[in-house]
Each structure stands twice: as C-alpha cells, then as structure tokens.
C-alpha cells in the first residue's frame, strides 16, 4: 500500500466512523432540543461546553505529543502510553476539583453544578481513553479509532434516547454520559493491550516531566481551541440566559459537527504523514499541504454556500418548525466552514514542523479576540453577536497560521486554492436560490452537478490531480 492509498484508507475509515457517530450524535441533539426545550437544552449545552473546556487540564497536550513522537519511533509506544495514563489520573482529579470552585465563582444553581460533575466525569475519562487513541493514530491504524468511536457513540446515543423517550430529563442524560465514559476507558485500553502494547505500570518521573513540558504547547493550544469553540456558549449562559444558549447551539451544533467530521478525519490521517515528511526534508511537505488545502477548499465552499442559502430549510428540517430564531445565526456561522477546514491543515503543518508553540500562540490570540468580541456583542445582539464573533475569530486564526508558517517555514500559497472553488460555489448558490421551491433533496443533487460541472469548466483539476488518482488506484503515474 503506497502513501496515497494509506492516507485515503485512513481518511475513509475515520470518515466512516466520523459520519456515522456524528449522525448518531446529531440525532440525539435534535431530540434533546425538541424534548427538553430551549431552557433545558441550554443547560445541557452550557454544562457540556464548560466541562469540555475543563477536561483540557487532564490532557495538557500529552495526546498530541504522543502521536508525533510514537509516529517517529514506534518502539517508544509502551513506556510513553503507560506513563501518560499514570500522569493523567491525578490531573483528572484536579480537573474535577475545579467544578465547585467555578460554581461558587459564577454563582451557579445546584442543578447546573450537578450537571457539571456528571459531564466533567465523562470528559475526564474520555480524555484518558484518548491516550490509547493517540497510540492507534501514531501507528496509522485508524480502524481501531473507528471501532472505539462507534461503540462509544452507540452507547451514549442509544441510552440517551431511551431515557428521553421514557420521560426522564437532562440529569438522566448526563448520567448516561458518565456511564459511557467508564465504558470508553475499558474499550480503548482493551484494544490497546490486545493489539499494540502489553499491560504495564511504568513510572518514570523524568519521562512524565518531559511529556508535561513538551506537551504544554499542545495543551495550551487545545485549551485555547476549546475556549475558541465553547466560550460563546458559556458567555451566553452568563451574560444572557438558557434560552439564548439553546437558540445559538441549535444553529451552531450542526455546523460544528459538519466541520468536525471533515477536519477530524483529515487531520488524524495527515498528521503522522506530515510529521515524517518534515524529517525527510525537501518540498514534499509543502506540496502535500497545498494539495490538501485545495481538496478541502473544493469540499467546504459549496457547503458554506448551501447552508447560507438554505438555512431556513435546514432549521425547519432539524427542529420541526421550532428554533426559528436560529436561522440567521445559522447563516452567519456557515461562513466559517471553509476557513476552519483549511485551518485544520495549516495548524497541523505548524505542529508537524515542531512549531506547535506558534500554533498555540495563534489559537490563544484568536480565543482572546473571541472572548472580547463576545463580551461586546452578546449584550447588544445576543446569539447573533456570538455568531459574528465566531466567524471573525476564525478568520483571524487563519491569518495567524499563515503568518507563522511563512515566518518559520516558507511561504505556502494556500489562498490560491480558494479562487476556483469559491467562484464555482457562488454560481451554485445563485442557482440554488432560483430552485428554492423544489424538494430539498433534488436541490442538493442539482446543486452538486452544477458545482462540479463549473469546476471542470474552469479547469480546477490538473496533471497533479491525475497523478494522485493513479496512485490511489495503485498504478504508476
């Protein structure tokens, strides 16, 4: 299997798992929104967002460091994994200890505090089990990551829907998540011990200190990234109310899930490859980056155009006529899709060239801008202000990534990959606007034909694409 085939295989396996699990999670979110209503759905969104942020203190970037180091030397697997797991146990305890402190500082109600404990327990265990997923990723055996993700999501969604249909509320759903967290850890460790490493207790303070120190830039990047993704929900809950949180997340969650599916399956497959390409030298990494950005641009621009034009149709489809206030937020937030997906590649490039500190700095500055914009805009425009803050912050992050790549690696012409997909998407969007009265499925099929037809007419694909296709088919170019 050549490199192109291996990357596509890993993207395909990861993509299948991401699509399947995200669809299951999306179904759960739809029923949570419909059954719980705006207020309780807002409580759920607030609690899961805040505890996701807190769980970054359990990892502190260790998982991402493991992927890079083990991908370069697989003999490190057993000692690195064992010491990483042992390191995370006290970090997880300290993370949960932050819940009562935050509850007191923010004057949260007792029911919100209980939700924070349950979702916090789930997120801490998910972070620890993620240590084993880093091992699978470093070995480029994404099928095991896929198995884990499908099992975890199946349990959460099945039990979550069951308690909802039985008439139980948000606390029962949170308890389901906590139980799923225990199962996550058992499944991930079982796969790891059977296929990759032996069960062992290896306590090496020097190695653990190295994991903390070298993983810290990754950890801060993850912390600021979670701030970046979740702080709008948290600030809406603090500055507005549970209803505003519910309306905003009804628009944000589908788009976030869509972008996470694609970025997750791509970044997990290309990160080990890009790390090796950097050590090999030459122009291979630069060319790989440009090609990756090109294909993500081709995928993401029509998604943004479709979501922008068909926002009311999608919101009505998702929520059965409810959450009409989410339509304008959905339209605004759709603009971040191309920016976020291409930033996945540029951010991964910084980590691959050992410049994760600048990736962390970029995300931290963008998170700070996001917080400032939210504090200014939420009191004025509520969830619409939060939507604007998200898009502006995404654009700022993209610009920072390109700045540090050009400064510490070389100029990579990422912007050039935007032009033709953007033009084709504008033409497609205009056509969709004229077809608004048709069935939604027919609109999507016709829009896809128009989009790819325009791409072919304006000669988007070249000889390099042909070479990639031939390698994918196992033939020599």
């Amino acid at each position: 299997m050549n490199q192109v085939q291996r990357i596509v295989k890993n993207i395909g396996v990861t993509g299948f798992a991401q699509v399947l699990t995200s669809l299951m999670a999306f179904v759960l979110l739809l029923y949570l929104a419909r059954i719980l209503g705006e207020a309780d759905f807002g409580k759920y969104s607030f609690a899961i967002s805040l505890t996701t942020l807190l769980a970054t203190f359990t990892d502190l970037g260790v998982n991402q460091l493991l992927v890079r180091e083990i991908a370069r030397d697989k003999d490190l697997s057993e000692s690195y994994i064992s010491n990483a797991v042992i390191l995370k146990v006290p970090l997880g305890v300290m993370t949960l200890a932050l819940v009562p402190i935050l509850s007191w500082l923010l004057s949260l109600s007792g029911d919100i505090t209980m939700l924070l404990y349950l979702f916090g327990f789930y997120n801490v265990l998910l972070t620890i089990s993620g240590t084993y997923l880093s091992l699978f990723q470093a070995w480029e055996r994404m099928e095991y990551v896929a198995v884990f993700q499908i099992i975890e999501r199946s349990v959460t969604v099945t039990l979550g829907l069951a308690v909802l249909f039985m008439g139980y509320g948000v606390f029962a759903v949170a308890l389901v998540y906590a139980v799923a967290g225990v199962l996550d850890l058992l499944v991930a460790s079982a796969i790891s011990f059977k296929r990759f490493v032996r069960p062992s207790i290896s306590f090496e303070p020097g190695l653990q200190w190295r994991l903390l120190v070298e993983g810290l830039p990754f950890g801060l990047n993850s912390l600021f990234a979670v701030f970046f993704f979740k702080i709008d929900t948290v600030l809406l809950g603090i500055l507005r109310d549970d209803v505003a949180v519910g309306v905003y997340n009804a628009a944000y969650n589908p788009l976030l899930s869509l972008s996470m599916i694609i970025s997750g399956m791509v970044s997990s497959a290309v990160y080990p490859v890009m790390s090796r390409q950097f050590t090999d030298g030459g122009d291979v990494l630069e060319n790989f980056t440009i090609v990756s950005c090109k294909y993500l641009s081709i995928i993401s621009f029509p998604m943004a155009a479709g979501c922008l034009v068909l926002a009311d149709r999608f919101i009505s489809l998702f929520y059965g006529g409810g959450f009409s206030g989410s339509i304008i937020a959905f339209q605004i937030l759709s603009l971040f899709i191309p920016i976020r997906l291409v930033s996945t590649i540029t951010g991964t490039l910084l980590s691959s060239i050992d410049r994760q500190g600048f990736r962390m700095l970029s995300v931290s500055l963008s998170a700070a801008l996001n917080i400032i914009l939210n504090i200014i805009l939420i009191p004025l425009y509520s969830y619409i202000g939060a939507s604007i803050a998200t898009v502006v912050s995404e654009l700022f992050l993209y610009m920072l990534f390109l700045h540090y790549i050009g400064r510490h690696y070389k100029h990579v012409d990422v912007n050039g990959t935007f032009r033709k997909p953007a033009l084709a998407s504008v033409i497609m969007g205009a056509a969709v606007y004229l077809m608004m009265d048709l069935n939604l499925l027919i609109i999507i099929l016709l829009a896809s034909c128009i989009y790819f037809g325009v791409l072919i007419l304006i000669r988007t694909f070249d000889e390099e694409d042909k070479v990639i296709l031939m390698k994918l088919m196992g033939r020599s170019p």
Side-chain angles (χ1 to χ4, degrees):
M1 183 179 293
N2 61 46
Q3 179 172 286
V4 172
Q5 290 174 318
R6 186 169 61 251
I7 292 173
V8 172
K9 184 267 291 184
N10 285 330
I11 289 177
V13 170
T14 308
F16 172 76
Q18 288 275 358
V19 170
L20 180 60
T21 57
S22 295
L23 284 175
M24 289 190 288
F26 187 55
V27 169
L28 177 60
L29 283 173
L30 291 183
Y31 280 102
L32 282 168
R34 291 186 179 195
I35 295 175
L36 296 179
E38 293 176 345
D40 277 353
F41 183 62
K43 292 178 181 178
Y44 164 86
S45 300
F46 177 83
I48 198 77
S49 296
L50 184 54
T51 54
T52 300
L53 191 156
L54 293 178
T56 58
F57 293 106
T58 303
D59 178 59
L60 292 177
V62 170
N63 286 353
Q64 293 185 60
L65 179 64
L66 291 176
V67 174
R68 191 186 72 187
E69 297 301 310
I70 295 176
R72 293 174 177 176
D73 185 358
K74 293 182 174 59
D75 292 336
L76 300 174
S77 298
E78 190 168 314
S79 62
Y80 271 51
I81 293 299
S82 178
N83 278 278
V85 171
I86 293 173
L87 176 65
K88 287 183 180 183
V89 173
L91 291 176
V93 173
M94 288 187 286
T95 297
L96 292 176
L98 294 174
V99 170
I101 298 173
L102 285 175
S103 297
W104 176 72
L105 289 174
L106 299 177
S107 300
L108 300 178
S109 62
D111 55 347
I112 292 290
T113 301
M114 182 57 65
L115 289 176
L116 290 178
Y117 275 118
L118 291 172
F119 285 121
F121 181 71
Y122 161 75
N123 275 308
V124 165
L125 291 182
L126 194 64
T127 301
I128 296 175
S129 61
T131 308
Y132 299 106
L133 301 193
S134 299
L135 174 65
F136 309 153
Q137 185 180 346
W139 280 73
E140 297 182 61
R141 300 297 301 273
M142 301 305 297
E143 59 270 27
Y144 293 110
V145 178
V147 169
F148 169 84
Q149 291 174 333
I150 291 171
I151 292 174
E152 188 273 335
R153 192 57 61 188
S154 297
V155 172
T156 305
V157 173
T158 302
L159 294 180
L161 289 175
V163 298
L164 284 174
F165 289 138
M166 291 171 64
Y168 297 102
V170 65
F171 293 102
V173 174
L175 185 60
V176 165
Y177 273 77
V179 172
V182 176
L183 180 63
D184 294 343
L185 185 57
L186 294 175
V187 171
S189 58
I191 296 175
S192 178
F193 296 150
K194 185 172 183 179
R195 296 290 182 179
F196 296 95
V197 296
R198 296 172 301 175
S200 64
I201 299 177
S202 177
F203 185 74
E204 302 173 48
L207 176 56
Q208 292 181 357
W209 177 250
R210 184 190 164 202
L211 291 175
L212 278 176
V213 173
E214 295 188 16
L216 188 59
F218 291 108
L220 292 175
N221 175 72
S222 297
L223 174 63
F224 294 130
V226 175
F227 262 106
F228 193 83
F229 294 140
K230 301 295 185 180
I231 195 62
D232 41 12
T233 296
V234 175
L235 288 175
L236 272 170
I238 296 172
L239 299 176
R240 282 287 182 163
D241 52 36
D242 294 331
V243 173
V245 174
V247 171
Y248 176 75
N249 277 273
Y252 187 46
N253 283 335
L255 297 171
L256 182 63
S257 298
L258 179 63
S259 62
M260 287 298 187
I261 289 172
I262 302 172
S263 62
M265 68 188 197
V266 171
S267 62
S268 60
V270 304
Y271 182 31
V273 176
M274 295 174 80
S275 296
R276 284 198 308 273
Q277 288 176 338
F278 175 63
T279 58
D280 293 341
D283 296 327
V284 177
L285 179 56
E286 178 186 2
N287 295 333
F288 183 81
T289 300
I290 293 175
V291 170
S292 300
C293 290
K294 175 182 176 179
Y295 288 130
L296 283 178
S297 297
I298 290 172
I299 292 170
S300 60
F301 272 97
M303 290 180 178
C307 290
L308 178 65
V309 178
L310 298 171
D312 57 337
R313 301 285 293 272
F314 285 125
I315 293 297
S316 177
L317 174 67
F318 296 155
Y319 305 109
F323 292 87
S324 59
S326 301
I327 294 174
I328 187 169
F330 191 86
Q331 290 176 313
I332 295 170
L333 289 167
S334 66
L335 300 176
F336 76 61
I337 295 176
I339 308 169
R340 177 169 293 178
L341 293 188
V342 174
S343 293
T344 298
I345 297 297
T346 52
T348 302
L349 174 60
L350 284 172
S351 296
S352 300
I353 64 175
D354 297 336
R355 298 292 181 177
Q356 60 270 14
F358 291 103
R359 184 179 187 180
M360 177 270 294
L361 178 61
S362 300
V363 177
S364 65
L365 291 174
S366 302
L369 175 63
N370 196 19
I371 293 171
I372 293 170
L373 290 176
N374 273 295
I375 291 174
I376 294 172
L377 296 176
I378 285 176
L380 296 174
Y381 306 110
S382 188
Y383 51 85
I384 295 177
S387 304
I388 295 171
T390 296
V391 174
V392 173
S393 302
E394 289 279 0
L395 181 59
F396 183 61
L397 176 62
Y398 168 75
M399 295 169 62
L400 286 175
F401 279 169
L402 289 187
H403 168 73
Y404 287 117
I405 289 171
R407 183 176 175 183
H408 298 282
Y409 178 55
K410 61 175 69 174
H411 173 71
V412 180
D413 186 20
V414 173
N415 292 333
T417 66
F418 288 176
R419 289 190 288 268
K420 292 182 179 181
L423 174 61
S425 296
V426 170
I427 296 172
M428 183 205 75
V432 168
Y433 183 77
L434 297 175
M435 298 186 291
M436 290 289 285
D437 294 333
L438 298 178
N439 177 273
L440 183 59
L441 180 59
I442 294 176
I443 292 176
I444 293 173
L445 292 174
L446 290 176
S448 300
C449 295
I450 292 169
Y451 176 69
F452 284 103
V454 174
L455 286 181
I456 293 171
L457 286 175
I458 60 179
R459 301 179 184 233
T460 306
F461 305 103
D462 52 27
E463 285 299 316
E464 188 173 17
D465 300 302
K466 182 180 178 180
V467 170
I468 292 173
L469 179 60
M470 292 180 69
K471 287 183 178 179
L472 178 60
M473 296 171 63
R475 297 168 57 187
S476 299

